[in-house]
């Protein structure tokens, strides 16, 4: 069976780590063999036990001491070091021989999407087998301008990483029914345009963005209730085994 | 004279801190009174002496000890604490009574653009007097997909912060003449489309983005040679004193 690598990508606090845990547990229930890889050298109090952990190679604390830098500098060095150690990390992943590899990325999204090492990581681990689950933070997504802001961040990640993207609305249990409905309705550009108080953008922009595939329905998910795990799984299946043209799913 | 607040915004490593220093020095040369505000509690080895410094209230190291968290957690708490201390920070800024206030923001862009505290900071210090200089990292901007990725990040910041944006290509001294020409040419959507190997996006998208004002010429700047400082200054003048409609400049 082909291996699939699932990168959890999103801004700090969007819930990557808990979604990693919840999705792994869901796969366990379905008796689908999976492992978790933690790529954040600064991870604290992980709620899961990673099968492969970059902190076995180094932690941010180690880097601060070794390189005599503060937290900011350590994050940058850490992100770059992951790229340097990726061959060894790959060996450990290969050793587990699991069909589903869930990869938890560093808290600050930019540390994964904008450092050059992410390109190296994706290439070494297997670009064609890779997909990212992009988490929309529910608190930021509550306002039309916040939603657009995250939509542009998600689009940025597509161009930078060049792998298919499954957009999800995380922690949907935190949202009231009406809030949730409203956010989900914004994947229709007309609805979003109606609710935007700042009409500086043209409606045309949204429509052409939809044609390009950027306005896609969000999958509401909750790591607390387990809601939406099956939808993520179905999306992955469709991308890799559904005979979909990869290009079409990507953009 | 009206006060202007200039926020330096950009991804980690794009050169915000050195551009802050260079622009302040240029204003000094022109005998234009200005102060520098450092809003990054994790700043290390600043090349300038800030007039107002969030580290006088707290540093990331303080937070790690006080709250018993690691570097990742400290950054998030730090970003939120800046919002809580903004009244006192404003008092110090007011005390200096300078017409130009240059504000250096935290290394990771998301810590400023996506935390709720940035909205509070901008509102308290004066939304109508605020402008952001958005730095395009020259290394990432070298490839068409990297350029697009940063363009979407810049667009995201416009929606999130809601203040006028001056896009600059930083560290232009690091680029060869041909590289520089090529990047600057990409503010024409046709040129960018030609160079994109991945044609998943429609050309229409770029054109409508241009109509909405997202494809704007980048100002090449260099903190090393001082190149482009006058252009940044001219843009600020135009935005605040040029009789331009703010809405038009914003989008």
């Amino acid at each position: 069976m082909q291996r699939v690598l699932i990168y959890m990508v999103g801004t700090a606090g969007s819930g990557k780590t808990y979604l990693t845990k919840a999705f792994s547990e869901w796969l366990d229930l379905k008796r689908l063999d999976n492992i978790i890889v933690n790529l954040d050298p600064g991870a604290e109090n992980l709620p899961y036990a990673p099968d492969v952990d970059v902190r076995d190679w180094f932690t941010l604390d180690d880097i601060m001491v070794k390189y005599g830098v503060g937290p900011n500098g350590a994050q940058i060095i850490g992100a770059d070091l992951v790229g340097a150690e990726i061959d060894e990390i790959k060996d450990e992943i290969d050793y587990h021989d699991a069909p589903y590899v869930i990869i938890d990325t560093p808290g600050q999204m930019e540390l994964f999407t904008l450092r050059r090492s992410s390109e190296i990581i994706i290439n070494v681990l297997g670009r064609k087998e890779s997909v990212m689950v992009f988490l929309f933070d529910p608190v930021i997504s509550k306002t039309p301008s916040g939603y657009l802001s995250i939509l542009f961040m998600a689009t940025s990640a597509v161009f930078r990483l060049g792998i298919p993207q499954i957009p999800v609305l995380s922690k949907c249990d935190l949202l009231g029914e009406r809030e949730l409905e409203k956010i989900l309705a914004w994947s229709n550009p007309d609805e979003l345009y109606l609710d935007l108080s700042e009409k500086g953008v043209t409606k045309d922009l949204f429509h052409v963005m939809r044609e390009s595939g950027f306005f896609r329905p969000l999958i509401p998910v909750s790591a607390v209730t387990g809601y939406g795990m099956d939808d993520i799984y179905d999306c992955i299946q469709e991308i890799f085994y559904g005979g979909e043209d990869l290009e079409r799913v990507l953009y």
Side-chain angles (χ1 to χ4, degrees), chain A:
Chain A
M1 190 191 168
Q2 188 196 342
R3 176 164 75 182
V4 175
L5 300 139
I6 303 144
Y7 292 89
M8 295 291 176
V9 177
T11 56
S14 59
K16 298 183 285 291
T17 293
Y18 279 90
L19 186 58
T20 295
K21 173 183 157 74
F23 190 58
S24 169
E25 286 173 352
W26 186 89
L27 290 172
D28 286 343
L29 271 176
K30 301 284 165 184
R31 297 177 185 271
L32 293 164
D33 199 15
N34 69 91
I35 60 166
I36 298 180
V37 179
N38 168 45
L39 283 192
D40 185 358
E44 299 151 36
N45 312 316
L46 285 180
Y48 55 76
D51 300 284
V52 181
D53 192 347
V54 69
R55 294 175 303 175
D56 291 342
W57 283 268
F58 53 85
T59 66
L60 287 196
D61 289 330
D62 298 340
I63 294 172
M64 287 195 275
V65 173
K66 184 169 171 191
Y67 294 88
V69 294
N72 287 4
Q75 281 186 329
I76 302 284
I77 295 172
D80 294 346
L81 280 179
V82 179
E85 299 289 1
I86 194 63
D87 287 326
E88 282 192 34
I89 293 171
K90 179 177 187 292
D91 286 346
E92 276 219 27
I93 294 173
D94 289 347
Y95 172 80
H96 283 88
D97 196 27
Y100 294 95
V101 178
I102 312 172
I103 301 173
D104 196 8
T105 63
Q108 300 292 320
M109 172 181 144
E110 297 158 69
L111 287 173
F112 186 68
T113 59
L114 288 184
R115 304 303 304 172
R116 231 203 120 228
S117 56
S118 60
E119 204 182 319
I120 298 166
I121 293 167
I122 291 173
N123 283 339
V124 169
L125 298 185
R127 177 167 292 276
K128 291 208 160 150
E129 298 83 43
S130 294
V131 59
M132 77 175 110
V133 172
F134 189 95
L135 290 81
F136 278 58
D137 184 307
V139 178
I140 301 174
S141 300
K142 268 188 206 180
T143 66
S145 60
Y147 180 90
L148 254 188
S149 174
I150 300 286
L151 181 64
F152 281 110
M153 297 283 269
T155 308
S156 171
V158 168
F159 281 106
R160 185 70 183 153
L161 300 180
I163 57 176
Q165 185 180 70
I166 300 173
V168 305
L169 178 63
S170 61
K171 307 184 197 175
C172 71
D173 54 287
L174 292 182
L175 296 164
E177 206 176 318
R178 293 197 112 190
E179 276 178 327
L180 181 62
E181 266 177 29
K182 197 158 202 174
I183 296 174
L184 295 179
W186 288 336
S187 60
N188 176 347
D190 293 327
E191 294 286 331
L192 183 59
Y193 189 78
L194 268 179
D195 289 340
L196 259 188
S197 55
E198 184 62 78
K199 304 283 190 196
V201 279
T202 65
K203 209 170 176 176
D204 285 354
L205 173 62
F206 293 173
H207 280 277
V208 185
M209 279 181 83
R210 178 157 67 175
E211 281 162 43
S212 287
F214 293 119
F215 270 85
R216 277 173 301 166
L218 289 185
I219 301 174
V221 301
S222 167
V224 175
T225 66
Y227 191 85
M229 296 306 122
D230 47 344
D231 294 324
I232 295 178
Y233 179 77
D234 290 346
C235 272
I236 293 171
Q237 295 305 310
E238 202 181 310
I239 288 171
F240 291 104
Y241 309 110
E244 287 265 355
D245 178 31
L246 195 68
E247 242 63 62
R248 253 193 64 206
V249 181
L250 180 51
Y251 296 116

